[in-house]
Amino acid sequence: MNIVQEEERRVASQAPKPAKFRRTRVQSIPRWAYVLFAVLAVLVLLRTFQRGVGTLRPAQAPARPVTVAKVVTKDVPLYLDEIGTCAAYETVLVQAQVSGQIITRDFQDGAEVKKGDPLFTIDPRPFQAVLDQDKAQAALDQVNLKRQEDLRARKVISQQDYDTAVANAQKSQAAVEAAQVNVDFCYIKSPINGRVGLRNVDVGNLVGPSTTPLVTILGLDPIYTDFTVAENDLPLVRKYLGGPNVKVQTFLPDGSITPRMGDLYFIDNAVQPGSGTVKARGVTPNPDRALWPSEFVRVRFILDTLKNATLVPSQAVQVSQSGPFVFVVKPDNTVDLRPVKPGQRQEGDLTVIEGVKPDETVVVTGQLALSPGAKVAPQPYVPQNSDKPQDAAVSESAL
């Protein structure tokens, strides 16, 4: 029994102890190995992060295609756009001055006539007979006056008889002239250059001073352009009223005629109650009769001329929450956002603008994808031909 126990103690003493074995392994790895491992791990993580950032970084955006135009300067009008109507420059209601029967009509309805052209003839025979009678009486009175002058020279008659002879001669001469006027009234002629309307009487009708007018003649060259000015625009109008640049430009809404420049003829002295407008009238040349009375027209009331105004195509002006702006192209083909103050639109699709300099380049189309500093590929802007004022007849204020 003691031998067995002794053997077990011997075997147990020779077996290795686990704790001491583990301690021996840990102590076998040097500390610099841990430091090297940590440095390598940091380098690997840093390299991986750099590769990830490089993969996420977007490629540089390509240049955006845009159309551009230069800022130009020129003299442009300051104006108000209104709606108006035309009115005849002269309107004559041809009326019979003597009573009688119409025996001839010498014009075609709607024809152009000149001053002095014959229109109607009233039967002149009764008036011619009166004229002949008065001429005979005048001749008799002249003979009697001559006889009285001879007797007066010889002091045969009294002064009263001589004065009576002189008065009778003058009275008969006046009767001849009155009868001649009535005969002339039988031949009705056009008093103006114009266009006749539809006649109201025909040959055979009995007419006189109390009957309806025979026909109406309208003078069409020049022609009046009647329009109104809003009450809110009166301060601006008064500022330039009487100036040398005040003009009235008239054109048809469909653009079928070239806008015609006329002069301001009249502006009313009071605001119309209820409408809040002031009546105005211009005189417009109309040699080809393209404008007709009572026809609706567009009116551009030009108040003054803006000298050396800066203009850009209307499409170049964009609107954001901060207000109107344009994109200005810099020499390196990048764009800069420039706040501006737009003014009135002018002919040729241009608009007056403040905030840019002459000869600067602005983006006209392609602004949707742009931002300040974006690269662009500029192409020249080709404007559309537009020779007539804008269709919207809206009163615009000064710049």
Side-chain angles (χ1 to χ4, degrees):
M1 185 66 179
N2 293 333
I3 296 173
V4 174
Q5 292 178 350
E6 189 68 25
E7 185 65 23
E8 289 177 355
R9 283 196 296 271
R10 186 181 63 82
V11 172
S13 63
Q14 293 180 354
K17 296 181 179 180
K20 292 182 179 180
F21 178 74
R22 286 195 302 268
R23 190 180 300 115
T24 304
R25 290 185 61 184
V26 172
Q27 291 179 353
S28 64
I29 300 176
R31 292 183 178 180
W32 61 267
Y34 287 103
V35 176
L36 179 60
F37 177 77
V39 171
L40 292 176
V42 171
L43 291 176
V44 170
L45 291 175
L46 181 60
R47 183 61 177 172
T48 304
F49 176 76
Q50 291 177 347
R51 289 181 179 178
V53 172
T55 304
L56 295 176
R57 183 180 301 169
Q60 186 176 4
R64 303 284 185 178
V66 295
T67 59
V68 298
K70 289 283 189 182
V71 178
V72 297
T73 59
K74 65 176 182 178
D75 298 344
V76 295
L78 174 65
Y79 62 87
L80 301 173
D81 276 341
E82 310 290 351
I83 297 177
T85 57
C86 292
Y89 187 75
E90 296 175 296
T91 301
V92 177
L93 303 179
V94 179
Q95 184 74 48
Q97 299 297 307
V98 295
S99 298
Q101 186 182 44
I102 294 179
I103 59 175
T104 64
R105 174 174 61 87
D106 303 304
F107 67 93
Q108 181 67 33
D109 292 344
E112 293 281 343
V113 294
K114 296 182 178 180
K115 184 177 181 179
D117 287 350
L119 301 177
F120 295 97
T121 302
I122 298 175
D123 190 357
R125 291 175 296 177
F127 304 98
Q128 186 65 46
V130 174
L131 175 62
D132 294 341
Q133 182 180 355
D134 291 337
K135 284 182 177 180
Q137 183 63 43
L140 180 60
D141 290 337
Q142 286 295 331
V143 172
N144 186 38
L145 177 60
K146 181 64 176 176
R147 185 182 300 112
Q148 294 295 331
E149 287 177 349
D150 292 341
L151 295 175
R152 178 62 178 166
R154 291 180 294 180
K155 298 182 180 180
V156 175
I157 61 172
S158 64
Q159 181 66 34
Q160 182 178 1
D161 291 339
Y162 175 76
D163 293 341
T164 301
V166 172
N168 290 334
Q170 292 176 347
K171 182 171 66 174
S172 61
Q173 183 60 36
V176 169
E177 294 175 357
Q180 184 64 57
V181 170
N182 288 334
V183 171
D184 293 340
F185 280 155
C186 293
Y187 303 94
I188 301 175
K189 300 178 181 180
S190 175
I192 62 171
N193 297 332
R195 189 181 184 93
V196 296
L198 187 65
R199 69 186 186 277
N200 296 323
V201 295
D202 290 308
V203 174
N205 289 130
L206 188 65
V207 297
S210 60
T211 59
T212 59
L214 309 181
V215 73
T216 301
I217 304 176
L218 300 180
L220 302 180
D221 183 29
I223 197 169
Y224 286 130
T225 300
D226 294 333
F227 60 99
T228 58
V229 177
E231 182 178 3
N232 295 337
D233 294 325
L234 275 180
L236 179 64
V237 173
R238 286 197 298 264
K239 179 180 178 181
Y240 297 100
L241 197 61
N245 298 323
V246 176
K247 297 292 182 180
V248 177
Q249 192 178 48
T250 305
F251 57 99
L252 295 177
D254 59 2
S256 58
I257 65 171
T258 303
R260 301 185 176 185
M261 193 69 70
D263 297 320
L264 180 66
Y265 173 76
F266 162 81
I267 187 165
D268 207 352
N269 56 4
V271 177
Q272 298 298 309
S275 64
T277 58
V278 178
K279 293 181 180 179
R281 167 173 282 186
V283 179
T284 305
N286 191 34
D288 57 354
R289 311 298 194 271
L291 301 175
W292 284 65
S294 301
E295 183 178 21
F296 282 98
V297 292
R298 303 278 190 191
V299 179
R300 175 160 287 184
F301 188 18
I302 299 175
L303 302 175
D304 198 11
T305 300
L306 303 177
K307 299 292 185 179
N308 297 323
T310 54
L311 298 101
V312 299
S314 301
Q315 293 176 269
V317 182
Q318 303 293 303
V319 180
S320 67
Q321 294 180 351
S322 301
F325 68 93
V326 297
F327 282 111
V328 178
V329 181
K330 296 189 289 187
D332 59 354
N333 285 344
T334 59
V335 295
D336 182 27
L337 190 147
R338 185 84 56 83
V340 294
K341 180 181 179 182
Q344 289 184 317
R345 185 171 179 176
Q346 301 292 332
E347 298 180 13
D349 195 31
L350 296 176
T351 185
V352 179
I353 196 170
E354 294 182 8
V356 293
K357 299 178 181 179
D359 294 330
E360 283 188 323
T361 303
V362 297
V363 177
V364 181
T365 61
Q367 302 97 324
L368 185 61
L370 293 183
S371 60
K375 194 80 172 180
V376 295
Q379 297 294 328
Y381 170 68
V382 180
Q384 297 179 353
N385 293 330
S386 177
D387 296 331
K388 63 180 181 179
Q390 58 184 347
D391 292 337
V394 180
S395 295
E396 299 187 61
S397 302
L399 296 177

